[in-house]
Amino acid sequence: MDIRDLLLKDVMIMDLKATTKAAAIDELVHQYYVKGIINDEELYKKDIIKREAESTTGIGDGIAMPHAKNKAVTRATVLFAKSDAGVDFDALDGQPVHLFFMIAAPEGANNTHLQALAALSSLLINPDLVAALKKAQTPDDVQQLFADAQAAKEAKDAADEAAEAAKAQTVAAPTTTDNSERPFIVAVSACPTGIAHTYMAEAALKKQAEAMNVDIKVETNGSEGVKHRLTADDINRAVGVIITADKKVEMDRFDGKHLLNRPVIDGIKKPEELINETLAEKGSIFHATGADGAASEDDGESKSAWSKIYANLMNGISNMLPFVVGGGILMAISFMVEQTVGAHSTTFIFLNGIGNWAFSFLIPVLAAYIAVSIGDRPALMPGFVGGFMANTAAASIVKTTSVAGFLGGLAAGFIAGYVIVLLKHLFRNLPKSLDGLKPMIFYPILGLLIVGFLMYFIVDPIFAVINHALTTFLKSMGTGNAILLGTVLGGMMSIDMGGPFNKAAYTFAIGVYTATGDGKLMAAVMVGGMVPPLATAIATTFWKNKFTADERKAGISNYVLGISFITEGAIPFAASDPLHVIVSSVIGAALGGGLTQLWHVSVPAPHGGLWVTPLATNWIFYLLAVVIGAVVAGVILGIWRPALKEEN
């Protein structure tokens, strides 16, 4: 496929007007929408911003490659844009960005498009091409530069393949000896989207290796699947392994090799450093875990202890949430049905039963997937059983009918995960012939025995007492304390709008709801989560001169997102103006959360926003809490936010 079929001339922007990152994204996305490349501006922009939140696509040297792959895209396209003045795009080198390549890939992009996108990405590590692009004056210039670069690369690739084939024949010849064999290393490149960074890292590593007289084979885990897969022979004869990846890759195959595990951007920006360290065998010796794709304790170099704990916790919560939402909503609907047809109706019994059955899996699933995040697949079963034990009354050990509950489930997940990590460490030196017994015999039996023992004799008794005390306190809590707690939880929902604070507040409310069946705190977090998008919607409606045209459009959609309890609708606003948006949202959300407790509002559903209003007790006050919190936050934002500067 000719790369010019992706770099459409009529889509290019040769004089980008934006001066900030947010404005640049708005201008680029809007150009796609105007040209018919995307049919939903907000959906595509949401994924662009989500990708930027993971790590900046400003890769340095004046280049940024924002990209997204979703159903809003009608055809695979690369939007080239040039800014003579430069834009502060949070680039890794801190320098302004002059060249933008916004990649749009449809969900069903075929391999031809993906290969072309990969080829385009790999060309951008050529400094001569980048320098020429900065001087380009017309779309025709841009297309011709890429066409020439692509032709040159294809010719070189063909020559390299021929040389590699000739070398393979020489190595196979029994009479040949070669005492000047170049060092050989292997690498794996991968990024979450698999469109740009994966192939840029591959190209940068190969180019640097050639300059250093080093042989390298790079496996890419991109949108079109795994390419240039490393064989066992490749790995065995390699001096070491370089992993430049921002997602999980198969790791066990590198057992016993010196291994560097770095972000994908390091493959693009630091190829010489990675190759030198690999040749010097500075990477830790990697020890396989016996589970597909798992990493050992030696493979990480950059994550803090807290970030690991948070990632493990979020893995459990994200897998638990479908049970929470599905079961909770059906249970809530069953209560509505009960008021009409009675508690003995088949419809009520059916809906309520399904909801309760789904809820019975909450704590086991939470524990199981926390454990899996830590110890991989062998930790699933002991984590699941530990979570089930936390959900079972501990009356046989202590004089209580309480269960260890949500807190016990959290403990079960972390215990099971680290028990498996410990077992992997203890059995790491077993003979290779016994490797098959570890996941089939040793880990399941010993893991279950140890986790079961700890849960039965220690965790369940202790956390049953704690859970009982917490439940008793919450039930007997006075109005003043309830208002304070509701205020705190409501405010937390708006601090990071889907981040750790938001998840902590929501998880706490879910834990209380599952333990007590009382939806008062669910009301507080529900209101707190609805306020930010509704506040931005109100502000963009009544203070239009303070928002861009794209922000005003997003504000309209935030009315729907807000009443649906989708807090993330406010993230684009918070990303571009965190001070005004977050502070005003926290004030309104905290006020709304406190009001739910003052007015004794209860929402027996874990999700749904205003759509579950018929289920709420004191539903008029539920609506009032939402309206008051949103209006207060919206007015503060509208008044406080400065007006847009008029462009000259």
Side-chain angles (χ1 to χ4, degrees), residues 171-375:
V171 171
T175 58
T176 301
T177 59
D178 185 1
N179 295 324
S180 62
E181 184 180 355
R182 303 198 303 182
F184 176 68
I185 60 177
V186 294
V188 179
S189 172
C191 68
T193 310
I195 296 175
H197 290 60
T198 298
Y199 304 104
M200 293 185 74
E202 175 198 21
L205 287 167
K206 290 170 72 174
K207 181 178 180 180
Q208 186 62 45
E210 182 179 9
M212 297 171 65
N213 203 33
V214 173
D215 285 338
I216 189 172
K217 181 175 180 180
V218 184
E219 173 184 299
T220 56
N221 288 204
S223 292
E224 54 177 333
V226 176
K227 296 293 182 181
H228 317 301
R229 183 180 289 277
L230 301 176
T231 65
D233 180 64
D234 292 332
I235 297 168
N236 286 337
R237 65 189 182 91
V239 176
V241 181
I242 300 171
I243 305 293
T244 59
D246 290 336
K247 71 175 186 178
K248 197 171 185 178
V249 298
E250 295 178 31
M251 297 292 288
D252 279 359
R253 52 190 167 150
F254 304 123
D255 185 45
K257 305 297 292 188
H258 287 278
L259 184 145
L260 296 175
N261 194 351
R262 301 287 180 82
V264 70
I265 197 66
D266 282 5
I268 302 172
K269 305 303 295 180
K270 303 177 182 178
E272 184 177 7
E273 175 186 318
L274 295 178
I275 292 172
N276 279 328
E277 290 189 9
T278 301
L279 294 176
E281 298 186 340
K282 291 185 178 180
S284 302
I285 296 291
F286 179 80
H287 296 295
T289 63
D292 291 342
S296 78
E297 62 271 18
D298 295 331
D299 78 330
E301 299 181 17
S302 59
K303 286 187 177 180
S304 67
W306 164 246
S307 66
K308 291 178 182 178
I309 291 172
Y310 177 71
N312 298 331
L313 179 60
M314 287 302 102
N315 192 58
I317 290 175
S318 63
N319 281 282
M320 177 194 74
L321 281 179
F323 294 84
V324 173
V325 176
I329 295 295
L330 287 180
M331 285 174 62
I333 291 173
S334 75
F335 297 141
M336 294 175 60
V337 172
E338 181 186 20
Q339 296 174 11
T340 304
V341 299
H344 300 291
S345 163
T346 301
T347 304
F348 165 74
I349 295 172
F350 169 69
L351 291 172
N352 192 260
I354 289 179
N356 275 293
W357 287 325
F359 254 48
S360 68
F361 283 94
L362 296 190
I363 295 174
V365 168
L366 171 73
Y369 283 94
I370 289 174
V372 166
S373 181
I374 298 168

Side-chain angles (χ1 to χ4, degrees), residues 603-618:
V603 179
H607 211 286
L610 292 187
W611 303 110
V612 296
T613 299
L615 308 176
T617 59
N618 299 322

Side-chain angles (χ1 to χ4, degrees), residues 22 85 92 117 228 241 243 262 435 445 454 460 489 502 605 647:
L92 293 170
L117 289 171
H228 317 301
V241 181
I243 305 293
R262 301 287 180 82
D435 274 356
I445 295 175
L454 294 174
D460 268 5
L489 291 175
N502 176 285
E647 295 186 0

